[in-house]
Amino acid sequence: MHIVLGVFVRESLVASDAPSVAAQLVGSGLIGVREGLETGIVVMILVAFLVKSQRRESLKWVAAGVGAAIAMVVAIFVGIRYGTSTVTGVAAELIAGIASLAAVVIVTWMVLWMRTASRSISGDLKAGMSQALVVGPTAVVSLAFLAVGREGVETALLMVGYAENTSGSQWPLTGLLLGIVVAALLTVAMYFGAVRINFAIFFKYTGALLIVVAAGILAYGIRALQTADWLPGLTDRAFDISSWFSMSSWYGTVAQGIFNFRADPTVLQVAAWAGYVAVVLGLFVRPVGAGKPTGDDRQPSTDTAAAPH
């Protein structure tokens, strides 16, 4: 499996080179949990606000917005995956490369945005919902659609990347969906106060993981564009350890399945991977601004988890 968001090209690998089922399930499942929790937090805040405000009649409009966002996500996934299934050759390489680079931009923005927005996301959503309730049902639906859709587009791209693997296996998609189910169950448990999660720690470590994953996506996209002759250096190998590092071994399938590692990367791939990790990870781990959040913005999960009580 290629853990790549825009991997629409079928590389000339045999099925035995595909990562193991465990690697496919674990890698995609971890991303599913993170993406699902991000979306779940948004929905939980909106629902808890309406419940506390005694505006339960508006819950149906939130459900409509969430449903529309989910439909959009599914449509994007199906359209990209099956719409490109007949594309081959250089065109497929170009699509894979461009889509991968676009996905890196989206994932990077989302990771860095969540790093700072988590401090105020609860207050922002509540303020938006207060205004939407004044405007009417259409505004409530739109708010829920945009709030969930923003997270959902990223998840849709991840779904494409997990599902489009070298051997045509459905295990990556299965793992991602299982992760989303787990996230949904955790969200419900948090809403009713049964589970508490330290979101600062959770998003810190999963964010770092996504950055490394995105670096692999970037490297894949660069190689695809090199194969399509849009970028130079396809034959310039940074190193080649394929003589002793077996990509079909358990460690090779894990490295390939989770981090899109190759035993023979090009110089440009390695340079891009290292530069991306150094810059983006540096931005991610630097201290957030000294401004202190106020009110409910400090711990949105604590406020929303206690809502039913």
Side-chain angles (χ1 to χ4, degrees):
M1 175 198 71
H2 285 291
I3 186 166
V4 189
L5 306 177
V7 57
F8 308 114
V9 60
R10 304 334 190 247
E11 294 188 355
S12 56
L13 297 174
V14 296
S16 61
D17 289 330
S20 65
V21 171
Q24 297 177 59
L25 288 176
V26 172
S28 56
L30 287 174
I31 304 301
V33 170
R34 180 198 161 87
E35 297 302 313
L37 269 179
E38 283 189 13
T39 304
I41 290 169
V42 170
V43 176
M44 184 171 62
I45 291 172
L46 295 177
V47 170
F49 176 78
L50 292 176
V51 171
K52 283 191 171 185
S53 303
Q54 302 298 314
R55 299 295 301 269
R56 291 175 181 268
E57 72 278 3
S58 296
L59 289 175
K60 61 179 178 291
W61 304 119
V62 172
V66 172
I70 293 175
M72 177 191 69
V73 169
V74 173
I76 290 174
F77 168 66
V78 173
I80 293 178
R81 184 185 178 191
Y82 294 102
T84 59
S85 60
T86 59
V87 179
T88 58
V90 175
E93 296 286 356
L94 289 176
I95 292 175
I98 295 173
S100 295
L101 297 183
V104 169
V105 172
I106 293 174
V107 172
T108 303
W109 181 82
M110 288 300 297
V111 168
L112 295 180
W113 174 81
M114 180 57 73
R115 168 181 170 272
T116 56
S118 59
R119 295 164 57 87
S120 61
I121 187 173
S122 178
D124 292 342
L125 286 172
K126 290 173 184 176
M129 180 57 76
S130 296
Q131 297 174 5
L133 288 172
V134 174
V135 175
T138 302
V140 175
V141 172
S142 300
L143 175 65
F145 174 80
L146 294 174
V148 175
R150 179 173 54 191
E151 305 288 344
V153 169
E154 179 186 1
T155 304
L157 292 174
L158 285 167
M159 289 170 69
V160 171
Y162 280 111
E164 291 292 331
N165 61 87
T166 54
S167 61
S169 169
Q170 295 301 312
W171 290 115
L173 178 59
T174 301
L176 190 69
L177 294 177
L178 288 175
I180 292 175
V181 170
V182 170
L185 294 176
L186 286 174
T187 300
V188 173
M190 285 188 294
Y191 181 81
F192 288 103
V195 173
R196 299 284 182 176
I197 293 179
N198 188 321
F199 286 108
I201 294 178
F202 174 80
F203 286 119
K204 176 181 178 180
Y205 287 104
T206 56
L209 172 65
L210 276 182
I211 289 172
V212 177
V213 168
I217 297 169
L218 175 61
Y220 173 84
I222 287 176
R223 190 179 185 95
L225 294 179
Q226 287 178 316
T227 303
D229 205 25
W230 272 36
L231 289 176
L234 180 61
T235 59
D236 299 330
R237 297 286 186 267
F239 56 82
D240 188 348
I241 58 174
S242 56
S243 60
W244 58 270
F245 189 95
S246 175
M247 294 303 296
S248 60
S249 64
W250 69 267
Y251 53 84
T253 58
V254 170
Q256 177 191 4
I258 298 179
F259 302 111
N260 202 41
F261 175 80
R262 289 185 64 98
D264 59 343
T266 66
V267 173
L268 187 56
Q269 280 184 288
V270 172
W273 187 96
Y276 176 87
V277 170
V279 173
V280 179
L281 194 59
L283 292 174
F284 181 75
V285 300
R286 70 176 180 175
V288 180
K292 294 182 180 180
T294 59
D296 293 335
D297 294 342
R298 293 180 183 178
Q299 284 293 342
S301 60
T302 299
D303 176 66
T304 54
H309 309 297

